[in-house]
Amino acid sequence: MENININWRKGPLTKGLSEKEALEKLKKHGFNELIKKNKKGPITIFAEQFKNLMTLVLIGAALISWFFGERADAITILAIIVLNSILGFIQEFKAERSIEALMELSAPGAKVVREGKLSHISAKYVVPGDLLLIEAGDRIPADGIVLECTGLMVDESLLTGESVPVEKKPRGSDRVFMGTISTSGKAKVVTYSTGMNTEMGKIANMLQEIPDEYTPLQRRLAQLGKYIVAICLIICAVVSITGIMRGEEPYNMLLTGISLAVAAIPEGLPAIVTVALAIGVQRMYKRNALVRKLPAVETLGSTTVICSDKTGTLTQNKMTVKKLYIGDKFIEPQKDRFPSSDAVKLFFTASAVCNDAFYEEKLMSEPESSGDPTELAILKAAWTAGIKKPNLDKEYKRVHEIPFDSDRKRMTVAAKRKNGESYVFVKGAVDIILGLCSKYYGPKGEQPMTYLDMKNILSANERMASSALRVLGAAYKKLDGSIDKNSLEKDLVFLGMTGMIDPPRPEAAKAVETCIMSGIRPVMITGDHKMTAAAIGKELGILTSESQILAGSELDKLSDKQLEKASGRIAVYARVSPKHKLRIVKALKASGHTVAMTGDGVNDAPAIKEADIGISMGITGTDVTKEASSMVLLDDNFSTIVAAVEEGRIIYDNIRKFIRYLLSCNIGEVLTMFLASLLYMPVPLIPIQILWVNLVTDGLPAMALGIDPPDNDIMLRRPRSKKEGIFSEGLGLKILMRGIAIGLGTLSVYALMLYLTYNDIQRARTCAFASLVLSQLSFVFECRSEHRSILKINPLTNIWLILAVLCSLGLLLMVIYVPFFHTIFDTVALRGIEWTIVVSMSLIWTIVSVFTTKKKRR
């Protein structure tokens, strides 16, 4: 930040900087733009896809296979590696565009005074010390100090979350910030910070300092991969060394080791997880949730806390008149319309004439509107009572005005009517306006104001304010002669007051209720006042006690440990900044929660990126928030989050299903190879057969499990813990037991066929190959549920699984009976008796499971 002399009327700032000074400052401070740090190039991103341990082992296996002439195996393995790496590259390359989007929010141009002349320049050339002219509708190009202004109101919701524009005063301390928008008035501003030194730049920097974290599923799969690789290498070493020690050819034992490596590593697992998540993305898109990062689908299923921004997310981001107080009584709209009585019409006439906004409804299109949200809310309500702003502008000509001022807390307008009558209309704080009134408009028209009348009006004002309504009063008087500025605001007639609020979305309360039923705690985080936040929180069912709300100033007094402890009970955070939001998300994560954060403004972006899953609004959300998020709500509907959580739970269940299936099958393959080696038997399966099984027989049914329909009670379960392992609830034991069964069954068929065919290795291998495939295809139907018997599941509810099994069976028969494939896969055509043995041994374990599976109570 550059030190600026704000005594500008006596200094050089009356003429602005010279071009030479501006050039020197540009060289010193750089362009007024946001900079992306540590940007990865496409080559770096692609290279990083090959860093995981499972991929490196597979690359090693492929190289050894190629060296020993097994080129078909090597090419197949490398094709799988490249496919998975391309999928990962595409996701990461598209994911990180947050700062580029933030740059687009910088003002495209600026009106700057240099050498006494007004110039229009690109905002990137604005430097500290520049004198800017700001008008209504302008986006502020840099952070600056307000030197001179008239009625300047600035929409700072991008940075603060405040839904109401902020008034600025020329007192040497009021500031404006890059990216915010002037909604009304004019100003002269001297800049003091540009580029990354602005408040917007600090948010951009904050966003880039947040490290990318793995999702629970990614962490579990990475851990699983390490275990698999470690076990694989140990088994390979034991088998190879044992074989060599007993006199086997080192070349043959090395090939056996490669076969084991291929059998042990589930090459298709990353691809199938990606496909399952992609299918989930498509389903969620149909429910108006656009997923930008695939792992977010799974993370949603384990979400325990949803931190939601209030403005525009839980509320409509549209100030709305909820109540009037006119003639000693409260008036609420009926079917969104206010009554058109004389008292109501007079009140709305005064409020609409003394109003700088514009509102006009169209017959065949959206209403035309502009101006301050509070003033717009009054005009919309007035329209329902028959008082229309365009008609008033023709009827009343404004002849004098005193703009709204935070010291005066009111706006005053003198207007002349077409019939020659002149009026004064005043709008502002109720207590201030009452001090200017000698009469009030009651049930019998204008009446003298007594102390009791004033007390009743102030009491009504307090009741409306305690309901978190923003209250404005209105008064008027008819002028008898010419305008006397000294007596303009004296002896007024108090007309009444209006109470406004940014109302909750109609569907938000139901969504909050569903979250609570699902074991998910909704938390509201807002920049609005504590009282407003409390009222919205209670209405939505988020807040049940005043002890559950915490203001930003109170949060500042808490250490990280204290905040972590408090986060367990706080349901509403009010008056918070972007840094507060980050601290809240971090505190919840530190206490073990899986945190989702929703929002739409730039101020939400850092917290959204820090959260386990960031959710942005598709309609009202800024590009920055969308790019920082994992998921975008296309309809800005809070209830869509609940639908997305349901889909996340379904996907996670289905991932467990195919992990159970794949790993059981791989354990079966490893045991078949391992035990055969220990028993001095010839290798029962060659590498190309194992690869074929892993890709075709394992892959197709596993993908079909990824779209299995959910159990009926999926949204009545508690969220999963972050610490819950992928093998929780006995899944690991089920995988191990069924893997042993598949391995022993396949090896039994192999040994029996070696005996019956007098060591016809090719025929025995073909029988073992067929037995392994059929064992897996029958097992896949058991994997549809961890809690129910195969007889209790309707097979027709997943027609894709049936088609996948039929397809795999067809490919198995093709490999066995088409002569072209005999040479490639080392197979022969099987006879009837051989099929009898194969089928019997393959189905026996499925039959046993029907009678041993017990339904688990939840």
Side-chain angles (χ1 to χ4, degrees), residues 333-382:
Q334 300 296 319
K335 296 182 179 180
D336 296 327
R337 302 188 70 84
F338 282 97
S340 56
S341 64
D342 291 341
V344 170
K345 283 185 175 181
L346 181 56
F347 171 80
F348 276 134
T349 297
S351 300
V353 173
C354 187
N355 195 311
D356 288 331
F358 180 82
Y359 181 81
E360 181 179 9
E361 292 188 5
K362 304 287 186 177
L363 187 61
M364 301 296 290
S365 62
E366 290 293 315
E368 182 182 340
S369 62
S370 63
D372 182 274
T374 301
E375 295 198 322
L376 271 174
I378 294 172
L379 296 185
K380 290 177 187 177

Side-chain angles (χ1 to χ4, degrees), residues 562-593:
Q562 290 173 322
L563 179 60
E564 184 181 329
K565 185 178 179 181
S567 67
R569 62 177 175 83
I570 300 300
V572 174
Y573 294 88
R575 281 296 193 197
V576 296
S577 69
K579 289 184 179 179
H580 289 146
K581 294 183 180 185
L582 267 177
R583 284 193 67 199
I584 292 163
V585 172
K586 286 179 178 178
L588 287 166
K589 288 174 69 178
S591 59
H593 287 289

Side-chain angles (χ1 to χ4, degrees), residues 163-303:
S163 55
V164 179
V166 179
E167 183 197 10
K168 301 295 180 179
K169 301 283 288 182
R171 48 190 167 214
S173 60
D174 274 13
R175 304 183 180 197
V176 292
F177 305 101
M178 173 194 271
T180 59
I181 300 173
S182 168
T183 59
S184 62
K186 296 181 180 181
K188 288 182 179 178
V189 171
V190 59
T191 61
Y192 63 83
S193 287
T194 58
M196 295 299 287
N197 293 321
T198 62
E199 292 302 312
M200 184 80 78
K202 290 173 185 175
I203 290 180
N205 194 52
M206 202 186 305
L207 200 60
Q208 295 177 78
E209 288 176 353
I210 298 170
D212 291 325
E213 294 184 5
Y214 288 117
T215 68
L217 178 64
Q218 287 175 313
R219 286 193 290 268
R220 291 168 193 146
L221 289 180
Q223 186 180 37
L224 177 62
K226 290 177 183 178
Y227 290 151
I228 290 173
V229 169
I231 293 169
C232 163
L233 293 176
I234 291 170
I235 292 174
C236 289
V238 169
V239 171
S240 298
I241 293 169
T242 303
I244 292 170
M245 288 176 66
R246 69 171 185 247
E248 296 282 350
E249 286 288 333
Y251 169 77
N252 291 333
M253 294 317 300
L254 194 55
L255 284 181
T256 302
I258 292 172
S259 300
L260 277 171
V262 173
I265 298 175
E267 302 90 352
L269 183 59
I272 294 170
V273 169
T274 301
V275 170
L277 293 175
I279 291 169
V281 166
Q282 292 175 0
R283 288 211 303 242
M284 292 168 77
Y285 181 75
K286 292 177 181 177
R287 301 179 77 169
N288 289 315
L290 175 63
V291 175
R292 299 185 60 256
K293 301 174 184 177
L294 284 182
V297 179
E298 177 272 335
T299 313
L300 269 169
S302 60
T303 299

Side-chain angles (χ1 to χ4, degrees), residues 98-120:
S98 299
I99 305 307
E100 285 85 345
L102 194 58
M103 290 176 183
E104 294 172 10
L105 281 176
S106 300
K111 294 187 282 288
V112 59
V113 177
R114 286 186 180 169
E115 297 180 347
K117 296 178 182 179
L118 180 64
S119 302
H120 293 262

Side-chain angles (χ1 to χ4, degrees), residues 718-745:
R718 306 297 296 178
R720 299 184 315 277
S721 168
K722 270 185 179 181
K723 299 178 181 178
E724 179 182 301
I726 197 75
F727 300 115
S728 63
E729 299 183 8
L731 182 62
L733 182 60
K734 291 176 184 176
I735 289 171
L736 181 63
M737 295 305 294
R738 193 49 190 262
I740 292 172
I742 291 172
L744 290 177

Side-chain angles (χ1 to χ4, degrees), residues 504-771:
R505 289 180 173 274
E507 67 283 347
K510 178 65 177 175
V512 167
E513 182 184 352
T514 306
C515 283
I516 294 170
M517 287 176 58
S518 303
I520 301 167
R521 186 159 65 93
V523 173
M524 186 170 76
I525 303 179
T526 177
D528 274 345
H529 294 279
K530 196 171 181 179
M531 188 180 292
T532 305
I536 297 294
K538 288 177 182 176
E539 190 170 347
L540 290 173
I542 294 174
L543 189 72
T544 56
S545 167
E546 292 296 333
S547 65
Q548 292 178 296
I549 187 167
L550 189 72
S553 56
E554 297 167 321
L555 190 152
D556 285 328
K557 298 174 185 177
L558 301 179
S559 67
D560 289 343
K561 280 290 182 185
Q562 290 173 322
L563 179 60
E564 184 181 329
K565 185 178 179 181
S567 67
R569 62 177 175 83
I570 300 300
V572 174
Y573 294 88
R575 281 296 193 197
V576 296
S577 69
K579 289 184 179 179
H580 289 146
K581 294 183 180 185
L582 267 177
R583 284 193 67 199
I584 292 163
V585 172
K586 286 179 178 178
L588 287 166
K589 288 174 69 178
S591 59
H593 287 289
T594 301
V595 184
M597 169 71 188
T598 72
D600 55 3
V602 175
N603 59 312
D604 300 322
I608 279 178
K609 190 171 181 182
E610 172 68 30
D612 294 293
I613 176 164
I615 307 169
S616 64
M617 303 296 112
I619 298 172
T620 60
T622 63
D623 287 344
V624 183
T625 316
K626 291 174 187 175
E627 293 299 331
S629 67
S630 304
M631 188 178 81
V632 180
L633 303 183
L634 298 178
D635 57 357
D636 283 17
N637 192 331
F638 188 79
S639 63
T640 302
I641 301 172
V642 181
V645 167
E646 182 181 1
E647 288 294 342
R649 292 186 176 188
I650 293 170
I651 287 297
Y652 187 75
D653 272 12
N654 289 347
I655 287 174
R656 277 175 62 96
K657 291 175 186 178
F658 64 66
I659 284 178
R660 176 188 178 188
Y661 174 65
L662 285 176
L663 294 189
S664 295
C665 294
N666 279 63
I667 288 173
E669 294 163 21
V670 170
L671 281 177
T672 300
M673 301 290 290
F674 183 53
L675 293 175
S677 175
L678 293 181
L679 296 172
Y680 294 88
M681 298 171 70
V683 176
L685 298 167
I686 61 174
I688 194 70
Q689 290 175 336
I690 296 171
L691 275 174
W692 189 93
V693 171
N694 283 0
L695 285 177
V696 180
T697 308
D698 293 356
L700 291 176
M703 287 183 186
L705 284 175
I707 56 172
D708 213 39
D711 292 331
N712 294 330
D713 65 346
I714 196 157
M715 284 304 286
L716 297 178
R717 304 177 195 167
R718 306 297 296 178
R720 299 184 315 277
S721 168
K722 270 185 179 181
K723 299 178 181 178
E724 179 182 301
I726 197 75
F727 300 115
S728 63
E729 299 183 8
L731 182 62
L733 182 60
K734 291 176 184 176
I735 289 171
L736 181 63
M737 295 305 294
R738 193 49 190 262
I740 292 172
I742 291 172
L744 290 177
T746 303
L747 192 62
S748 298
V749 169
Y750 181 58
L752 181 60
M753 294 312 299
L754 280 176
Y755 174 76
L756 293 176
T757 61
Y758 303 100
N759 289 324
D760 184 345
I761 294 177
Q762 192 176 28
R763 186 166 294 277
R765 275 180 179 161
T766 305
C767 288
F769 178 54
S771 178

Side-chain angles (χ1 to χ4, degrees), residues 266-510:
E267 302 90 352
L269 183 59
I272 294 170
V273 169
T274 301
V275 170
L277 293 175
I279 291 169
V281 166
Q282 292 175 0
R283 288 211 303 242
M284 292 168 77
Y285 181 75
K286 292 177 181 177
R287 301 179 77 169
N288 289 315
L290 175 63
V291 175
R292 299 185 60 256
K293 301 174 184 177
L294 284 182
V297 179
E298 177 272 335
T299 313
L300 269 169
S302 60
T303 299
T304 56
V305 175
I306 298 176
C307 295
S308 176
D309 184 51
K310 178 185 76 67
T311 306
T313 307
L314 290 167
T315 65
Q316 299 175 31
N317 198 19
K318 296 176 181 177
M319 292 296 288
T320 304
V321 174
K322 303 293 287 185
K323 190 178 292 187
L324 301 177
Y325 181 79
I326 297 174
D328 298 337
K329 65 178 181 178
F330 289 104
I331 302 171
E332 295 185 7
Q334 300 296 319
K335 296 182 179 180
D336 296 327
R337 302 188 70 84
F338 282 97
S340 56
S341 64
D342 291 341
V344 170
K345 283 185 175 181
L346 181 56
F347 171 80
F348 276 134
T349 297
S351 300
V353 173
C354 187
N355 195 311
D356 288 331
F358 180 82
Y359 181 81
E360 181 179 9
E361 292 188 5
K362 304 287 186 177
L363 187 61
M364 301 296 290
S365 62
E366 290 293 315
E368 182 182 340
S369 62
S370 63
D372 182 274
T374 301
E375 295 198 322
L376 271 174
I378 294 172
L379 296 185
K380 290 177 187 177
W383 193 281
T384 68
I387 304 301
K388 302 179 179 181
K389 178 66 171 175
N391 296 343
L392 291 177
D393 288 344
K394 296 174 184 176
E395 180 72 16
Y396 293 87
K397 181 182 179 182
R398 193 178 294 189
V399 293
H400 182 71
E401 66 176 294
I402 307 174
F404 179 85
D405 185 294
S406 60
D407 295 329
R408 288 167 29 84
K409 295 184 180 179
R410 64 187 183 274
M411 174 183 180
T412 301
V413 165
K416 192 170 185 179
R417 203 172 178 182
K418 270 188 175 182
N419 61 9
E421 296 174 344
S422 295
Y423 294 88
V424 173
F425 300 108
V426 182
K427 176 173 94 297
V430 173
D431 54 339
I432 298 296
I433 292 178
L434 273 178
L436 306 174
C437 297
S438 59
K439 298 179 182 179
Y440 80 102
Y441 202 94
K444 299 179 182 179
E446 294 183 11
Q447 296 173 294
M449 176 85 72
T450 66
Y451 173 77
L452 184 60
D453 295 327
M454 187 175 292
K455 188 176 180 181
N456 288 337
I457 292 170
L458 289 173
S459 176
N461 178 39
E462 288 177 10
R463 285 177 60 186
M464 293 172 77
S466 64
S467 301
L469 296 177
R470 178 177 169 84
V471 185
L472 287 177
Y476 92 117
K477 74 175 179 181
K478 185 177 180 181
L479 296 174
D480 295 329
S482 59
I483 296 174
D484 182 0
K485 295 180 181 180
N486 295 322
S487 62
L488 198 63
E489 296 177 326
K490 294 180 179 178
D491 296 322
L492 300 175
V493 179
F494 186 79
L495 295 173
M497 50 191 168
T498 176
M500 292 164 279
I501 198 169
D502 181 10
R505 289 180 173 274
E507 67 283 347
K510 178 65 177 175

